[in-house]
Amino acid sequence: MRPCVVVVAGTHSGVGKTSITCGLMVALRLVIVASLRREAPLVGDAARTRAPVPDGLCTAVSRQSGLTVQAFKVGPDFLDPMHHKAATGRPSINLDGWMLSKHQVLDTFHRHMADADIAVVEGVMGLFDSRDGNSEDGSTAQIAKWLGAPLLLVIDCWAMARSVAALVKGYTSFDQHLNVAGLLLNKVGGAAHGVWLREALGAAGQTATVLGCIPKDDAVAVSERYLGLTMPHEQQQQQQQRDKSMPPYLAKLSQLVVDHVDLEQLL
């Protein structure tokens, strides 16, 4: 069976990429999946001749347990993968287009997908941010194209309404070789705010599907510091919990995803 893979990208750092990625990983790992999935997109070199990406990511299957989720992180980051491991129960693997060749990235990806159902790849910084201002080397966009994977674009909508349409138009048209398959609107202020955002996207003719409007919830924010995010055990200590099997912040993040993201449409 072809690997199922989705890349979670952000418009820039700080939009909630890691929080949503971890919530999605836990949700896919724990939520029962029943005959939701369709044909997967081809991965790697085969993607050059692939048919248009279908509505879903995976081949049809019926099962009475959650999925085995393999986490990946674009770039050499070591903090985000700690959260990934806490969410999936498996080590998260780095995919770095600057230090590794395309062949090495694809080989690494396929080796670690051998016993997994789905890959969730968290991007680095903003979707197009790379090692310099001229190339895509080391960027999330580069890895997504190498994998032939659909993108979920995370947008911080806290202080935004109609402007979301202009932002999405720019990100979806900047590189025509990318497949921005879905939008995750994060830090939405309420039901009315979500309606305005959807209306703005529809009025502007944006075709990327809104897969979820996730409300702002400071209780589940993963703290940051000068080196990046705090580590999972530190996050747990901050919440004055000692449950080593599933830190409470991950359980809360997964519940947010289950409540506000259309997982059936995603898959």
Side-chain angles (χ1 to χ4, degrees):
M1 188 176 75
R2 295 169 181 166
C4 304
V5 53
V6 62
V7 176
V8 181
T11 54
H12 57 278
S13 293
V15 298
K17 255 193 336 285
T18 301
S19 294
I20 289 177
T21 297
C22 289
L24 180 60
M25 289 172 179
V26 176
L28 292 173
R29 181 185 175 190
L30 300 181
V31 172
I32 292 176
V33 179
S35 298
L36 300 179
R37 301 180 290 171
R38 305 177 182 88
E39 181 67 15
L42 299 179
V43 173
D45 291 335
R48 293 173 183 159
T49 57
R50 65 188 171 96
V53 175
D55 292 337
L57 300 180
C58 304
T59 51
V61 68
S62 178
R63 59 189 298 156
Q64 295 303 312
S65 62
L67 302 173
T68 300
V69 181
Q70 177 59 56
F72 295 91
K73 172 66 181 180
V74 178
D77 190 300
F78 69 94
L79 290 173
D80 291 356
M82 291 182 178
H83 292 276
H84 296 175
K85 183 177 181 180
T88 65
R90 298 162 59 99
S92 180
I93 307 302
N94 295 90
L95 302 175
D96 193 324
W98 182 56
M99 291 192 291
L100 301 177
S101 67
K102 179 178 179 180
H103 174 77
Q104 290 171 321
V105 166
L106 293 178
D107 179 68
T108 299
F109 175 82
H110 285 290
R111 279 191 291 108
H112 290 280
M113 280 298 293
D115 62 344
D117 294 313
I118 187 169
V120 179
V121 183
E122 182 186 353
V124 59
M125 301 174 67
L127 173 57
F128 300 106
D129 294 321
S130 59
R131 72 182 183 90
D132 55 35
N134 298 312
S135 72
E136 64 178 10
D137 291 345
S139 69
T140 303
Q142 181 185 56
I143 295 296
K145 288 194 286 189
W146 284 358
L147 296 177
L151 282 161
L152 296 181
L153 185 64
V154 179
I155 304 168
D156 181 349
C157 297
W158 178 241
M160 186 185 302
R162 187 167 179 250
S163 297
V164 71
L167 187 67
V168 170
K169 182 176 181 180
Y171 274 85
T172 55
S173 63
F174 186 78
D175 186 339
Q176 296 297 323
H177 297 290
L178 286 172
N179 173 30
V180 181
L183 306 176
L184 294 176
L185 308 183
N186 195 27
K187 302 181 185 178
V188 175
H193 188 197
V195 169
W196 296 339
L197 293 167
R198 290 177 184 269
E199 287 178 345
L201 291 164
Q206 295 305 306
T207 58
T209 303
V210 177
L211 293 175
C213 291
I214 302 171
K216 181 179 173 64
D217 187 346
D218 292 333
V220 297
V222 181
S223 303
E224 296 187 49
R225 57 185 180 184
Y226 71 98
L227 282 177
L229 299 177
T230 54
M231 297 181 186
H233 71 277
E234 294 173 322
Q235 186 77 9
Q236 186 166 322
Q237 290 168 358
Q238 290 169 5
Q239 297 178 349
Q240 297 181 337
Q241 298 286 343
R242 293 295 183 270
D243 181 2
K244 300 299 183 182
S245 61
M246 176 64 68
Y249 78 99
L250 288 175
K252 291 177 182 177
L253 286 172
S254 69
Q255 192 61 54
L256 269 181
V257 169
V258 170
D259 291 343
H260 300 284
V261 176
D262 189 338
L263 292 176
E264 181 171 353
Q265 190 170 10
L266 167 64
L267 293 170

